[in-house]
Structures are given as C-alpha cells and as structure tokens.
Amino acid sequence: MTERDIPEEYLEGYAPTLADACATGRRLRREELDALRSRGERAAEAGLGLRASVRAHLSAAQELWRELPPAAAGHLLPAVAWAVDAFAEGHERAQRLAIRQEEAFRREFVDDLLHGRSDLGRLAERAERFGLLLAQAHAVAVAQGREPYDDGCAETRHVEASLVARFGHRRILLTTKDGRLICVAPADEADVLTFFAKQAYAATDGGQVAVGRPHSGPGGVVHSYEEALNALDLAARMDLDQPVLHAADLLVYPVLTRDRQAMADLVVSILGPLREARGGARPLIDTLAAYFDTGCVAAEAARRLNLSVRAVTYRLDRVRRLTGSDPGDPVHRYTLQTAVIGARLLGWPDREL
C-alpha cells in the first residue's frame, strides 16, 4: 500500500495543524494529539498498515514544507515527530486490542472444540475461520513434557514455525490446553501429526506424544482428543515409555477395564496371595510386569529391574508357590499377565479394590 492508497479522511486536518504549529513553533495541543491518536485507531481498525500510514503523513509534511516560509519550516520536523508519534500510538493501541480480542476468541474456540460445549453447527462455522472443515475426519495429537506449555512459550513457537515451514497453513490447528501442546489435522494428512510428534518430542526435551484415532464430524475432534489424553494417562499407569503412543494400538486396555468389577475380582483372586510375601505384593508384581514385557526372558527382566537373574527367578518361583500359577507355563501365563495388567490399570496393591 502506498501513501496514495491512504484515504484522505485519515489525513484530515493534519496539514493545517502542522502549519499552525510551525507558524509559532509551539507544541501540538492535547486535543490535536488526541485527534491524531483517534485517527490512528480508526486506520488500524480499517486494516491500514502503520508503515503506509506513516509514509502518507511524511509525504503530506513534505508537500507542506515546500509552501512554508523559511522561519516556519524550521519548526516542521518536531511537529511531524509529535504528530506521527500520536498517530502511531493510536494505531498500536487498536492493534493490541484487536490481538487481545482475537486471542480471546481463539481460546474460547479451542475450549469449545476440545470439550464439545458449543452448538456443533455454530462450532463448524467458527472452525472455518481457523482453516478447519469439521465435516471431514480429523485426528488430534497431544504432547506433554516436564513443564507446562502455553501459546506464547518458546517451545510452542518453535513447533509452530516448523509446521508452517514444512506444510504451510494446510488446515492445521496448533494450540495448547492444560499445559500440553495440541495439534489438530485432517485425517488424510497423517504426515502432519507424525512431523508434529517428532518436533514436539524434541521441543519438550523428551516428552511423550499421544495420537488419537481419526473421527468424522464436529464431534470427531473431541473424540480423538479424549483418546489421546487417555493414552497419556494409560502410559503413566502402565509405565509405557514409548515417545509416541497411538490410541489405536492401546485399544485392548479399555476393553480389559470395561467391566471394572470383573477385573478387580480377577486381580484380587489371582494376585491377592502375593500380599503374604515378605515386602508385600509390589516387588513381585513389578517382577512379573518386567518378565512379561520382555517376552518372558528372565535375563532381560533382571536387567530392567537392576537385579540378578537369580533374584528374578527366585521371585518368579515365589509367585508360583503363593498363587499356584506358574509364569513360565503357557496355560497360566495369560491369566497371570491379564491380572498384572489389571493391577497396573487399577493401581493395585497401592489402592484397595
């Protein structure tokens, strides 16, 4: 935009004000400065850029300079400085207000999008402003680290810059919620979430990322977001240390706990006798978990637990004698492993069932 593109209304009274001030060398009056600030605000609200507006004011002052007598022309530069400063102050004030309003609108939209609290039709209309077409399928990835993150922190800006550099503005929403980084992308843009997971893992210094399954419709984002949150919660309870978790790979766990009472009965029935061991049930359950997680290889389980192989085999033998189920027997193994998974999901034995 050039100075010729600035409507005359935003320069109205500017030249006469300068000429009157230069005639006596006086400072601009308060009402004159207030008028300039007001025009600056209106220019910002109309979408006129500050640089183009300043150029227009300087161009008008240059034209006035040619007409001023030499004595008055010497006062022009200070008067222009006061005038432009007041106009820029009003322009920047309006921009800051617009940014705050936009941030508030965006935060309200994100909250409604991730919790489904708004009318779905209205939500879909608002989503288009951010490049999301909620009629299509979307998936959500959630990253968490050691520290909470917000929209303005360095980690968020770094991840956002990386996404924009790689994909442009391709119907992607990057935001934060409850201290976590969140990326919403169309289901047919799986490479976006893969790239986000890589960048978020690096930015959060080895945090963990969970990816929900794709779901269609305005409520699909909420569904995928909740799946990703549940995956992170599950990882904490099950000591899953993979950097990237996919909800689709963890569906067996919700199935196992769908009947919570039945699972609690299985845990207490199968593993309850372990409470009679010296030191309680916890060391034996941790040993069983490591043993099963390593494909029933005692040496690898011992390495994970920082124990000797002899100590691990001794504990496994204690499990066999107390429960009557042999971890090395394929017939007993499934029942024991299911009970161990249930214990970890339900927080037993630290929590009574």
Side-chain angles (χ1 to χ4, degrees):
M1 179 176 287
T2 66
E3 55 269 18
R4 294 186 179 85
D5 297 317
I6 303 298
E8 287 295 328
E9 64 181 286
Y10 299 106
L11 296 171
E12 184 180 355
Y14 172 64
T17 297
L18 292 182
D20 187 67
C22 290
T24 61
R26 67 173 176 81
R27 294 177 63 91
L28 269 63
R29 301 187 183 95
R30 176 178 295 179
E31 60 270 19
E32 292 170 335
L33 294 174
D34 288 343
L36 285 161
R37 293 187 186 98
S38 177
R39 285 200 292 271
E41 291 179 357
R42 289 189 286 110
E45 292 168 356
L48 301 179
L50 181 57
R51 291 176 59 189
S53 298
V54 169
R55 285 199 302 269
H57 282 75
L58 295 178
S59 178
Q62 186 176 22
E63 292 179 6
L64 176 64
W65 177 76
R66 299 190 184 100
E67 303 172 1
L68 290 175
H75 301 298
L76 180 60
L77 185 58
V80 171
W82 294 324
V84 170
D85 184 69
F87 183 92
E89 180 184 350
H91 193 283
E92 291 172 352
R93 184 166 58 195
Q95 283 192 320
R96 286 194 297 269
L97 177 61
I99 290 173
R100 287 196 296 269
Q101 291 174 337
E102 180 64 21
E103 288 176 347
F105 178 85
R106 189 175 190 273
R107 177 48 54 193
E108 181 183 7
F109 167 73
V110 167
D111 289 343
D112 290 344
L113 177 69
L114 298 180
H115 292 290
R117 293 187 299 228
S118 178
D119 174 76
L120 294 183
R122 174 64 180 146
L123 185 65
E125 293 177 4
R126 293 159 62 196
E128 293 182 9
R129 179 172 176 177
F130 297 96
L132 298 181
L133 302 178
L134 295 187
Q136 301 177 357
H138 287 79
V140 180
V142 180
Q144 67 179 13
R146 298 179 181 88
E147 303 292 334
Y149 306 100
D150 57 38
D151 289 343
C153 71
E155 292 82 1
T156 304
R157 294 197 304 270
H158 173 75
V159 174
E160 183 173 25
S162 299
L163 282 170
V164 171
R166 176 71 178 272
F167 301 103
H169 299 278
R170 198 192 297 179
R171 297 181 292 143
I172 304 169
L173 176 65
L174 181 70
T175 186
T176 60
K177 180 70 176 173
D178 298 330
R180 302 182 182 95
L181 295 175
I182 299 168
C183 183
V184 181
D188 57 358
E189 301 276 2
D191 54 333
V192 171
L193 295 185
T194 300
F195 185 78
F196 165 79
K198 180 179 179 181
Q199 295 298 316
Y201 178 77
T204 57
D205 191 23
Q208 199 167 39
V209 185
V211 182
R213 293 180 298 165
H215 296 281
S216 301
V221 171
V222 180
H223 196 170
S224 184
Y225 172 64
E226 290 177 346
E227 286 184 344
L229 289 183
N230 290 336
L232 289 174
D233 177 65
L234 184 63
R237 286 187 285 159
M238 297 294 295
D239 295 324
L240 304 177
D241 57 1
Q242 297 98 310
V244 181
L245 305 164
H246 291 273
D249 298 334
L250 304 175
L251 291 177
V252 65
Y253 296 107
V255 171
L256 290 174
T257 56
R258 187 161 296 167
D259 190 337
R260 182 184 177 88
Q261 187 57 53
M263 178 57 74
D265 291 343
L266 175 67
V267 169
V268 174
S269 175
I270 299 299
L271 303 179
L274 299 183
R275 285 180 292 194
E276 300 175 11
R278 180 182 301 176
R282 170 56 59 193
L284 297 180
I285 291 177
D286 291 343
T287 301
L288 283 172
Y291 182 67
F292 293 134
D293 289 346
T294 57
C296 300
V297 178
E300 180 62 20
R303 189 187 65 80
R304 289 195 182 188
L305 296 169
N306 292 318
L307 296 172
S308 66
V309 176
R310 182 177 180 180
V312 169
T313 55
Y314 171 78
R315 289 185 179 184
L316 294 176
D317 186 61
R318 287 288 291 159
V319 170
R320 181 186 60 78
R321 283 185 286 160
L322 288 171
T323 65
S325 299
D326 184 359
D329 186 334
V331 176
H332 298 161
R333 187 182 303 158
Y334 176 76
T335 301
L336 271 175
Q337 187 170 8
T338 303
V340 168
I341 292 173
R344 296 166 77 179
L345 289 172
L346 301 178
W348 190 88
D350 302 325
R351 181 187 305 165
E352 289 297 327
L353 303 180

